[in-house]
Amino acid sequence: MNLKPDFAFSLRSLLAVAVLGATLGLAGCHKATDSASIVPVEIDRSTSCDLDGMLLSDYPGPKAQIFYADQEKPAFFCDTMEVLSTLLAGEQVRAVRAVFVQDMAKADWDHPEGHWIDARSAFYVFGSKRTGSMGPTVGSFALEADAQHFAAENGGKVLAFAAIKPDMVDLSGGAQHDSRM
């Protein structure tokens, strides 16, 4: 009596069930991490920028956070220019689950807290006289009407996320182009 074929069939069946179970389990995990289910994390006195280590609560202007697929906690940014540059950079290869910025129609510009909105559905004001942690920054708003109102008071141009181009948020230059240094 030859038991090898039956054993091979049983092993293949077991492996097939295991692969199917793992696939279904991962599909369930994917739904659990859907961007709609991700909740923004509030900043506190110790929250620092992932790019430069600056403490977010020490500076004015809108902040941001990205939830990457390979990280449980968000990467924080002390400025919307930084997060937009990161998202639009050609070398950005990390999968992004969710991105949040603050609605500056509701948050206090000088001490922004809370009022997180989806960055990809926000409206942005470029070129206003208001500054953030790194100097000139981009105001972020949930509603286009609020962005237009801000631009009327502070200058600037309103753009939807889809209209922002990488060269508009280029962070190169920095100190070497600052004539005040």
Side-chain angles (χ1 to χ4, degrees), residues 50 68-71 75 91-96:
D50 279 42
Y68 290 109
D70 60 349
Q71 263 176 230
E91 64 273 6
Q92 169 62 19
V93 294
R94 293 175 73 185
V96 174

Side-chain angles (χ1 to χ4, degrees), residues 80-144:
T80 49
M81 286 288 283
E82 291 176 340
V83 76
L84 292 170
S85 178
T86 299
L87 288 172
L88 299 175
E91 64 273 6
Q92 169 62 19
V93 294
R94 293 175 73 185
V96 174
R97 295 185 303 158
V99 184
F100 298 100
V101 292
Q102 291 176 300
D103 182 358
M104 298 314 290
K106 296 180 180 175
D108 176 357
W109 190 278
D110 294 322
H111 305 285
E113 293 179 8
H115 304 289
W116 297 100
I117 56 174
D118 180 343
R120 293 184 172 140
S121 64
F123 294 90
Y124 297 89
V125 178
F126 282 78
S128 82
K129 64 183 178 185
R130 299 301 303 260
T131 59
S133 63
M134 302 302 285
T137 193
V138 180
S140 49
F141 298 87
L143 302 174
E144 185 176 14

